Amino acid sequence: MFNRLPPLNALRAFEAAARRGSVSAAARELNVTHGAISHQIKALEAVFGTPLFERNGKRLKLTPQAALLLPALTTAFETIAAATALVTRPSTSGSLRISCVPALLSFWLIPRMHQFSEQFPDISLTLVASNDPDRLYSPDIDVCILYGDGTWLDCWARLWSNLQLFPVVSPTLMNSRALRSVRDLRDHVLLHGDDGREWNTWLAAADALDMPRGRQHFMSDARLSTEAALSGQGVALGDAITAGSLIAQGELVVPFDLSVPANDAFYVACRNEVRAAPIVRVFIDWFFSALERDRGAEPQASARRVIRGRGRIDAPAATAESFTPVSRARAAAQRPVKRRLKP
């Protein structure tokens, strides 16, 4: 009786050769040389002290001893292969740590968390409100959803959505203080979610960059400026993704039918080595598909005018069919007073 098993490589070489009936076929299957298979078989024969093949021509014939060994080895290797498949199958359980742009996290991702949890009940999420690209390189974060230009080094990044920006205001504030033209913005507080560049882009498109301004408040991110607009503190810039549900519910209205491309865009990013993890792929795939479902649920046409290039405004006809839920809510809020985009 053996005190230990024969060498595994030798057993594997014998099993493949015996099953295939050829040393050459076994070598191709195991991706080794003909000589390597022959060497392993001879080593195994030395261990057993008996020949395992009768070599007559090209076709190998098993000796009686080898015929006893082969079925047990084949079953054992099939069992190992099945167990390996179970161990390495894609995992949809565990913990996932997500860093996300604050406005997108609060107004878009969190309201859809139940959809993800229903589909993947065994995944626990840790959510961090941040737009810091340095978190991409932190071992404490698995996936980052960032607002930026997508040029981060040594990582995987994919564009999630471009944005169009437009003013948003609470209906209470708009009803209490005139906002019938762009020039009326002089009497309102401008709420900035950045250093002022995005408002400057919108005012330039509206030919009002030289307009005298009243008070302005600067905040660290768009979530804060949007929350300030919700509480009637002034006029902020929003987009259809982060402010869309607030507009559809009538909590915010869009006073001017003009939007401009944002300076940056939303990206999904992570470290290259993390991207291959099944749980990370599951979340990223869901995140993109959730956006597509949102877009598929709304008509693609919009009544909002969009800046196509410097100094040019395209204004498609506004029909009942062309209004998205966002523009329907805006239209309902604006119905009592006709408003035009004028300086």
Side-chain angles (χ1 to χ4, degrees), residues 129-153:
S130 174
N131 193 40
D132 182 0
D134 286 344
R135 289 186 178 271
L136 267 172
Y137 312 103
S138 168
D140 296 329
I141 295 295
D142 298 310
V143 179
C144 286
I145 304 161
L146 297 166
Y147 179 66
D149 59 11
T151 59
W152 307 289
L153 299 176

Side-chain angles (χ1 to χ4, degrees), residues 166-170 191 199 226 229 234-239 243 247 252-255:
F166 44 83
V168 292
V169 62
S170 74
L191 303 170
W199 259 116
T226 302
V235 185
L237 285 178
D239 63 84
I247 298 167
L252 291 174
V253 294
V254 183

Side-chain angles (χ1 to χ4, degrees), residues 56-283:
N56 295 319
K58 293 184 178 180
R59 185 73 183 176
L60 295 177
K61 183 180 179 182
L62 296 177
T63 63
Q65 294 86 346
L68 292 173
L69 181 62
L70 178 61
L73 285 181
T74 299
T75 299
F77 283 120
E78 287 175 352
T79 301
I80 293 171
T84 301
L86 288 174
V87 170
T88 59
R89 69 182 177 182
S91 173
T92 55
S93 64
S95 249
L96 198 59
R97 298 157 296 183
I98 310 294
S99 174
C100 183
V101 181
L104 187 63
L105 177 62
S106 293
F107 301 126
W108 192 89
L109 180 54
I110 287 178
R112 289 162 179 78
M113 278 182 63
H114 69 284
Q115 299 174 8
F116 180 81
S117 296
E118 287 169 2
Q119 190 172 351
F120 304 101
D122 296 325
I123 296 180
S124 174
L125 296 179
T126 298
L127 302 176
V128 178
S130 174
N131 193 40
D132 182 0
D134 286 344
R135 289 186 178 271
L136 267 172
Y137 312 103
S138 168
D140 296 329
I141 295 295
D142 298 310
V143 179
C144 286
I145 304 161
L146 297 166
Y147 179 66
D149 59 11
T151 59
W152 307 289
L153 299 176
D154 300 324
C155 69
W156 174 89
R158 179 180 168 190
L159 175 68
W160 186 69
S161 181
N162 291 302
L163 299 175
Q164 297 284 334
L165 300 178
F166 44 83
V168 292
V169 62
S170 74
T172 301
L173 179 59
M174 195 168 72
N175 289 334
S176 65
R177 190 175 301 167
L179 195 51
R180 295 184 176 88
S181 73
V182 175
R183 294 293 170 179
D184 287 335
L185 285 170
R186 292 175 297 185
D187 302 320
H188 287 265
V189 178
L190 295 188
L191 303 170
H192 298 273
D194 66 349
D195 58 3
R197 285 179 295 171
E198 291 183 335
W199 259 116
N200 286 340
T201 300
W202 190 89
L203 289 169
D207 296 324
L209 192 56
D210 61 346
M211 178 190 71
R213 304 183 194 182
R215 289 196 311 278
Q216 303 182 77
H217 293 320
F218 294 84
M219 303 177 190
S220 62
D221 58 72
R223 178 178 64 182
L224 298 180
S225 60
T226 302
E227 289 176 346
L230 279 169
S231 65
Q233 302 300 316
V235 185
L237 285 178
D239 63 84
I241 294 178
T242 60
S245 62
L246 300 172
I247 298 167
Q249 295 162 13
E251 297 182 55
L252 291 174
V253 294
V254 183
F256 308 116
D257 202 15
L258 172 65
S259 65
V260 296
N263 296 325
D264 290 312
F266 287 136
Y267 287 85
V268 179
C270 64
R271 296 183 301 283
N272 291 313
E273 64 272 18
V274 173
R275 172 71 179 117
I279 194 172
V280 170
R281 293 201 305 269
V282 159
F283 176 81

